[in-house]
Amino acid sequence: MNLLHRLKPEYVKRLNQKSDDYTELVSNTLIALESEQYVSQLKYYVIVDLQFLLNNPTSPYNFFRDDS
């Protein structure tokens, strides 16, 4: 299961809301989430982009459900 499927619903909703203002950034972030299975595989810039888009400077592990 990729990270996009494990992203918590409230964060999916926020990304969809931000897509009008930050189309390219949201698109690139979604592509990165689709291509990785583990948070530790994300590139640093994707984590920073997620924190910016979600207005949440917390650990990136908090953005995802633990469906292991």
Side-chain angles (χ1 to χ4, degrees), residues 4-63:
L4 184 56
H5 288 104
R6 289 182 40 216
L7 191 62
K8 292 180 181 176
E10 62 266 26
Y11 295 128
V12 172
K13 184 178 178 181
R14 266 194 236 165
L15 284 177
N16 289 331
Q17 291 170 343
K18 296 277 187 161
S19 66
D20 290 339
D21 295 330
Y22 303 102
T23 306
E24 181 109 7
L25 186 59
V26 171
S27 176
N28 290 338
T29 301
L30 293 175
I31 289 168
L33 294 177
E34 278 186 321
S35 67
E36 302 297 349
Q37 291 184 324
Y38 302 102
V39 175
S40 62
Q41 294 173 325
L42 288 175
K43 300 212 181 296
Y44 181 70
Y45 72 88
V46 176
I47 293 169
V48 171
D49 290 347
L50 267 175
Q51 291 172 331
F52 167 74
L53 290 167
L54 301 176
N55 293 329
N56 194 339
T58 189
S59 167
Y61 290 92
N62 293 333
F63 297 138

